[in-house]
Amino acid sequence: MGTVDYTYPQGAEEPHRRHHTVEAPQPQPFLKSLQYSVKETFFPDDPFRQFKNQKTSRRVVLGLQYFFPICEWAPRYNLKLFKSDLIAGITIASLAIPQGISYAKLANLPPILGLYSSFVPPLVYAVLGSSRDLAVGTVAVGSLLTGAMLSKEVDAEKDPKLYLHLAFTASFFAGLLEASLGIFRLGFIVDFLSHATIVGFMGGAATVVSLQQLKGIFGLKHFTEATDVISVMRSIFSQTHQWRWESGVLGCGFLFFLLSTKYFSTKKPKFFWVAAMTPLTSVILGSLLVYFTHAERHGVQVIGNLKKGLNPLSVSDLVFTSPYMSTAVKTGLITGIIALAEGIAVGRSFAMFKNYNIDGNKEMIAFGMMNIVGSLTSCYLTTGPFSRSAVNFNAGCKTVVSNIVMAIAVMFTLLFLTPLFHYTPLVVLSSIIISAMLGLIDYQSAIHLWNVDKFDFLVCMSAYVGVVFGSVEIGLVVAVAISITRLLIFVSRPRTAVKGNIPNSMIYRNTEQYPSSRTVPGLLILEIDAPIYFANAGYLRERITRWINEEEERVKTSGENSLQYVILDMSAVGNIDTSGISMMEEIKKIIDRRALKLVLANPKGEVVKKLTRSKFIDDNLAKEWMFVTVGEAVEACSFMLHTLKTKPASKAEAWNNV
């Protein structure tokens, strides 16, 4: 407790008891302290622990396994694992091919890019990724963001070559950002996209994407470039005279087919492959239907020719000159963050089901490298989509070899089967997108947020409304802004509470949470529930002063013993800065002017160290007024009130007499 040992005198009601001394941590050299701070900030998982006390050759092997996870699991790979991965790889390939083509159209890119992006990036991830279940490919939200942001600067129809090059460049910068975050271990930046933000953003983006597919369902040739619901609906209903009933019937029929099989697979998990095969089945059936009925002559739009062959190099296509480079950078940074958040969230979710851990920093490096390499080989933004990863998981994948199998299947398609997609109707692709998007509108999570945390629900709905009625960027900015505002509120307005004693115990708790607890006469015990920084120092000064005023008024009204001691429970105060120290000095002066005594309970080591260095301890507060626990502080103050009958001004002297 204090710096002196304290014992109750003979005749006192309490038994003999020794109080403990608050210790300050041993001073550390600056470089050692800095090293510790950097390690705890950027290396909380201590990734270099495995290299300790190892031979050089072993360290080389461990280093290769750390940076290239394939080196760790490949030596243990066997035929039994391959059988499972083969089935899973073929299954997700059947989903990746139609989805890839669909999402490329969503980004206003040539459909063949969807296949290119399902070939090279999965191979890169297989070497660098740490998740066993993540299936790599393009995603609807990333495709929508890419299309929406690039279309503001370049018209994909008027200048398709420049638009294509900007898409490659945006993917390059997205990969550069993702890899940099992983290399410098700055993944905590992604955490600013809270769960509530992602739920609302994904739901809003899914709604917008679904509404935009009505263009394909109704066979419209001209459509708005805006993504907000009002512009989309105006564009649809202002062209009712151009609706094609043939396209509408075909689209609704395939959408019903897709949703029915998905519902069936949900009810019968053993038949997950039915829903997984349905998109490719729809493409095949739609192509056959168009081919034999010549539906393209009756307003049903088709994909047309797809270039045969593997990914051509696109190194020379990257745009690093003004005025378009800034657009590519902005698009890459925003889409990269979104893709990173989605991919890591999906990977962690499935890793949790199988009881293994994935390294977030490794994942960021893997995502970054696959997008950098992809941008150089005619691919656009890729990550780990939930729908494809869920199919991979349900198909029984064991390792990332399922991604390699999928890539080989896509390669085979690029080399030999692309002409078969000539008659694939666009309306089928629209149906596939709508079917996939409906699963991203997670209304159950929104209801859960409402039940648990109304503010999180507000963040979620702000993101949703911003995306649906504004744009994808507006929704994202609004949601992140509200989340950061909430964070700032938490930091600048920490909780404080009055603590009381739970009867027949030495436990002191918040009187609001524990109504049975009782305040101690003559004492005011306050709990500060956060570190004390410049952002909250002013608030804490005002709030503590208000607590003292209210307590004095209550005591005066009730006729109890006058307030003599203010005990600050510092258990939750992990750190304090110079502004916080100045606040403590002001509080000490305020308390002194009222003839009260300030007492600190359980100050943390970092706090004690800084208070000592700033001379607050000794100059403003004697060491004997610091205690290890609230209980010991209350015992000492109560003893001095009831046994020694000492006034606050002479308490230090009384301590010396004990």
Side-chain angles (χ1 to χ4, degrees), residues 75-244:
R76 303 191 303 270
Y77 199 71
N78 54 48
L79 183 61
K80 182 178 180 181
L81 295 175
F82 178 70
K83 289 179 180 178
S84 299
D85 289 334
L86 178 64
I87 296 173
I90 294 175
T91 304
I92 58 176
S94 67
L95 180 63
I97 293 170
Q99 274 192 351
I101 295 173
S102 304
Y103 294 161
K105 291 292 292 182
L106 187 61
N108 300 321
L109 293 168
I112 193 66
L113 258 69
L115 297 181
Y116 290 162
S117 301
S118 297
F119 172 46
V120 173
L123 295 176
V124 176
Y125 184 81
V127 176
L128 299 174
S130 60
S131 172
R132 306 170 195 167
D133 304 282
L134 205 68
V136 172
T138 56
V139 289
V141 175
S143 301
L144 174 67
L145 267 172
T146 300
M149 297 184 71
L150 294 182
S151 295
K152 291 182 178 179
E153 300 294 331
V154 179
D155 192 317
E157 294 183 0
K158 295 180 180 179
D159 198 346
K161 185 176 181 180
L162 176 59
Y163 185 91
L164 180 63
H165 293 177
L166 286 179
F168 295 152
T169 310
S171 299
F172 175 81
F173 283 110
L176 196 63
L177 170 69
E178 293 170 339
S180 299
L181 292 178
I183 292 172
F184 295 106
R185 305 182 73 83
L186 299 174
F188 61 85
I189 294 177
V190 179
D191 294 336
F192 280 98
L193 290 175
S194 64
H195 173 68
T197 301
I198 293 175
V199 169
F201 177 79
M202 290 295 184
T207 302
V208 168
V209 170
S210 298
L211 291 175
Q212 285 191 327
Q213 300 317 301
L214 295 178
K215 171 188 176 182
I217 296 293
F218 292 117
L220 300 176
K221 294 182 179 180
H222 304 287
F223 205 68
T224 179
E225 295 293 335
T227 59
D228 63 282
V229 63
I230 296 176
S231 299
V232 171
M233 299 309 293
R234 183 187 296 119
S235 181
I236 291 172
F237 288 102
S238 64
Q239 303 183 71
T240 53
H241 59 286
Q242 295 185 11
W243 289 6
R244 307 293 303 193

Side-chain angles (χ1 to χ4, degrees), residues 354-614:
K354 289 188 176 180
N355 297 316
Y356 70 93
N357 296 318
I358 64 172
D359 189 324
N361 291 292
K362 287 183 183 178
E363 289 296 281
M364 285 185 276
I365 294 174
F367 289 157
M369 292 307 300
M370 73 186 191
N371 277 311
I372 290 174
V373 175
S375 68
L376 305 179
T377 53
S378 299
C379 304
Y380 77 105
L381 185 74
T382 53
T383 184
F386 177 79
S387 58
R388 203 176 300 184
S389 300
V391 170
N392 193 34
F393 177 84
N394 291 327
C397 69
K398 300 299 182 182
T399 68
V400 288
V401 170
S402 59
N403 276 284
I404 298 177
V405 173
M406 177 188 70
I408 293 174
V410 173
M411 179 188 71
F412 184 80
T413 302
L414 287 168
L415 291 174
F416 305 108
L417 303 180
T418 50
L420 299 180
F421 293 97
H422 177 90
Y423 290 100
T424 300
L426 296 182
V427 66
V428 171
L429 301 183
S430 297
S431 301
I432 292 173
I433 292 175
I434 293 175
S435 174
M437 290 302 96
L438 293 179
L440 293 180
I441 304 176
D442 193 356
Y443 64 91
Q444 292 181 338
S445 290
I447 294 173
H448 178 71
L449 291 174
W450 170 261
N451 293 329
V452 175
D453 191 323
K454 300 296 189 295
F455 199 101
D456 267 351
F457 178 78
L458 173 63
V459 172
C460 174
M461 294 310 299
S462 298
Y464 182 85
V465 172
V467 171
V468 172
F469 291 96
S471 66
V472 175
E473 301 98 305
I474 291 175
L476 185 61
V477 169
V478 169
V480 172
I482 293 178
S483 297
I484 293 178
T485 301
R486 186 187 192 188
L487 176 63
L488 293 176
I489 291 174
F490 282 160
V491 172
S492 63
R493 295 294 184 268
R495 291 186 178 274
T496 57
V498 174
K499 302 185 79 170
N501 175 247
I502 295 179
N504 302 318
S505 75
M506 289 294 292
I507 301 173
Y508 293 82
R509 291 292 183 266
N510 186 338
T511 54
E512 290 187 0
Q513 183 179 359
Y514 296 88
S516 62
S517 62
R518 296 291 179 264
T519 57
V520 182
L523 309 180
L524 174 61
I525 309 170
L526 296 178
E527 176 185 30
I528 301 176
D529 202 17
I532 304 175
Y533 294 125
F534 66 93
N536 61 25
Y539 168 79
L540 287 173
R541 181 185 62 251
E542 300 298 332
R543 196 65 185 88
I544 292 172
T545 304
R546 179 179 158 194
W547 280 122
I548 295 173
N549 292 337
E550 292 176 352
E551 180 65 13
E552 288 184 329
E553 291 175 2
R554 187 190 69 80
V555 169
K556 184 177 180 180
T557 303
S558 62
E560 297 179 5
N561 294 334
S562 62
L563 180 63
Q564 297 292 317
Y565 296 90
V566 177
I567 301 175
L568 294 184
D569 181 4
M570 310 280 282
S571 302
V573 182
N575 210 329
I576 189 171
D577 67 357
T578 54
S579 297
I581 295 171
S582 297
M583 184 276 294
M584 294 291 291
E585 292 173 349
E586 292 180 38
I587 288 295
K588 180 65 169 59
K589 292 177 182 178
I590 293 171
I591 290 176
D592 287 346
R593 285 197 298 267
R594 300 189 182 203
L596 305 176
K597 192 67 184 180
L598 176 65
V599 181
L600 301 185
N602 194 24
K604 300 298 184 183
E606 192 69 18
V607 175
V608 174
K609 180 176 70 175
K610 291 185 178 180
L611 291 179
T612 302
R613 288 179 177 177
S614 67

Side-chain angles (χ1 to χ4, degrees), residues 11-75:
E13 294 180 359
E14 294 292 334
H16 179 79
R17 184 185 297 273
R18 295 180 65 86
H19 289 221
H20 305 89
T21 304
V22 172
E23 301 286 351
Q26 293 295 324
Q28 298 288 340
F30 172 74
L31 291 179
K32 186 174 182 180
S33 178
L34 178 63
Q35 180 183 9
Y36 177 80
S37 298
V38 171
K39 180 180 178 181
E40 290 302 306
T41 301
F42 298 104
F43 303 95
D45 54 339
D46 194 12
F48 303 114
R49 179 181 55 191
Q50 58 182 329
F51 296 96
K52 295 178 181 178
N53 303 320
Q54 298 288 347
K55 295 181 180 179
T56 303
S57 58
R58 180 58 181 167
R59 288 182 178 181
V60 172
V61 173
L62 291 174
L64 288 174
Q65 292 178 348
Y66 181 80
F67 291 105
F68 302 97
I70 192 172
C71 297
E72 181 179 358
W73 56 262

